[in-house]
Amino acid sequence: MPTVFERIVAREIPAAIVHEDEWIVAFRDIEPQAPFHVLVVPRTPIPRLRDAGPEEAGILGRMLLVARKVATEAGYDDVGFRCVLNDGPDAGQVVPHLHLHVLAGRGFGWPPG
Ligand code: 5GP
């Protein structure tokens, strides 16, 4: 059963895509938690960060570079942005397809909730 992100990557369901390349698709979160909230998703359906091995080093690095690119393009390079990767139930991961949240446009507290 493909996840909702696999279906977005396959263009089976619509999403507001802000970046797409050979490895990564990035699109607006349907329930944004900040004025800017984008999900950076590898095309390969790795369920969780715990499932990524050394062979995924390239894709993990690309995810961060795409996060920087979309935040910079949206004008948040100076004020900054937050990247969040929820891994597993305690972290609140809901969609079992590795993804990076890129959030910007407001201040964020620390420690996170
Ligand atoms: P998680 O809690 O797994 O780290 O985050 C999953 C995120 O996916 C949530 O922020 C949720 O709003 C987002 N999401 C869930 N379903 C959809 C969808 O169909 N389209 C989009 N664009 N985002 C989704």
Side-chain angles (χ1 to χ4, degrees), residues 16-21 26-28 36 38 40 64-81 102 104:
I17 292 174
V18 297
H19 171 92
E20 196 169 13
D21 63 34
F27 50 89
R28 297 258 180 190
F36 182 83
V38 162
V40 176
L64 285 172
L65 290 171
V66 169
R68 184 190 70 181
K69 174 180 175 278
V70 297
T72 298
E73 283 174 355
Y76 296 109
D77 48 337
D78 283 339
V79 292
F81 54 94
V102 187

